[in-house]
Amino acid sequence: QLQLQESGPGLVKPSETLSLTCTVSGGSISSNSHFWGWIRQPPGQGLEWIANIYYGGTTYYNPSLKSRVTISVDTSKNQFSLKLSSVTAADTAVYYCARRIYSGHVDYWGQGTLVTVSS
Amino acid sequence: DIQMTQSPSSLSASVGDRVTITCRASQGISNYLAWFQQRPGKAPKSLIYGASSLQSGVPSKFSGSGSGTDFTLTISSLQPEDFTTYYCQQYYSYPITFGQGTRLEIK
């Protein structure tokens, strides 16, 4: 059974960089049938797609965040990562990592991790 | 960006009822539409993909329909665990976008 697990600091200071890692188990991140990505949800609000990456390195970013976001993949560790720079309180959210079928839908989600931006 | 609009934003129903939630896309997305269920404090769970295909393991009480710009999620024989929030999502083009959510409440 595929599992995705987010990890990273739960508290980040304003203007700093948020860094999260998603570890994939029960399957290979080097699949030619899937994208890997990040989705976030501010407290009490809806879902916002952030970015996707293919194991070969092809990336897609939400234009609203593109200038601050970097997604990367480490196939040797079966992990992919998110960096979001210059964070503000508006970036406080539960961050989910997820698997997306190539040209298809999201079928697996991590449990999510709350990141709070505060001094 | 493709805007996804769900209606209603909230809905009251009784156990045993059948309900329908609507999702409208701002432009045609063929059948590249998914539905998710999210319980409080939990990650979303995939219910429907391709507008009408049931995700493996999801009970047949959930059904989806539509194509182009108008889509529906129907839940039959509501049980207490079904009263939570539902989201639609288009994956026709980047950026992937979600509806604002529909909260299903017990009457």
Side-chain angles (χ1 to χ4, degrees):
Chain A
Q1 177 77 351
L2 188 79
Q3 291 188 323
L4 292 83
Q5 180 66 58
E6 305 89 350
S7 60
L11 181 63
V12 181
K13 290 182 168 56
S15 80
E16 295 190 344
T17 296
L18 177 161
S19 296
L20 295 174
T21 295
C22 182
T23 300
V24 179
S25 58
S28 174
I29 204 168
S30 301
S31 163
N32 59 11
S33 300
H34 300 99
F35 276 96
W36 308 90
W38 294 92
I39 295 162
R40 71 179 182 177
Q41 185 172 36
Q45 297 185 39
L47 299 159
E48 180 181 33
W49 172 75
I50 301 172
N52 277 149
I53 189 166
Y54 190 61
Y55 82 96
T58 301
T59 57
Y60 297 89
Y61 293 106
N62 191 323
S64 68
L65 298 168
K66 185 174 183 177
S67 64
R68 300 192 291 129
V69 172
T70 302
I71 188 171
S72 59
V73 64
D74 186 338
T75 55
S76 67
K77 295 181 179 179
N78 226 33
Q79 295 176 334
F80 61 102
S81 298
L82 174 74
K83 291 188 185 300
L84 179 65
S85 64
S86 305
V87 297
T88 69
D91 296 309
T92 294
V94 175
Y95 286 76
Y96 296 100
C97 60
R99 186 182 84 167
R100 180 190 173 197
I101 295 172
Y102 197 95
S103 296
H105 65 291
V106 172
D107 60 350
Y108 281 94
W109 298 70
Q111 66 183 25
T113 187
L114 174 63
V115 179
T116 301
V117 179
S118 174
S119 55
Chain B
D1 299 7
I2 298 174
Q3 307 302 317
M4 305 301 293
T5 304
Q6 286 181 237
S7 60
S9 296
S10 64
L11 176 60
S12 294
S14 300
V15 172
D17 283 355
R18 170 177 155 161
V19 298
T20 296
I21 299 169
T22 297
C23 181
R24 175 165 288 174
S26 61
Q27 63 187 75
I29 59 170
S30 185
N31 67 336
Y32 292 86
L33 190 284
W35 289 97
F36 298 93
Q37 177 192 65
Q38 187 178 33
R39 296 195 171 104
K42 299 295 186 181
K45 172 187 173 184
S46 177
L47 297 176
I48 301 283
Y49 64 94
S52 60
S53 296
L54 205 60
Q55 183 72 33
S56 176
V58 173
S60 59
K61 61 187 298 179
F62 294 95
S63 63
S65 67
S67 183
T69 60
D70 295 312
F71 302 88
T72 60
L73 171 70
T74 299
I75 313 170
S76 62
S77 187
L78 285 169
Q79 297 301 304
E81 61 268 23
D82 300 327
F83 291 89
T84 188
T85 302
Y86 295 85
Y87 293 93
C88 63
Q89 178 210 47
Q90 68 80 20
Y91 50 94
Y92 178 78
S93 67
Y94 284 111
I96 293 169
T97 48
F98 293 86
Q100 80 280 14
T102 294
R103 185 172 179 176
L104 180 55
E105 301 172 329
I106 296 180
K107 188 181 292 182

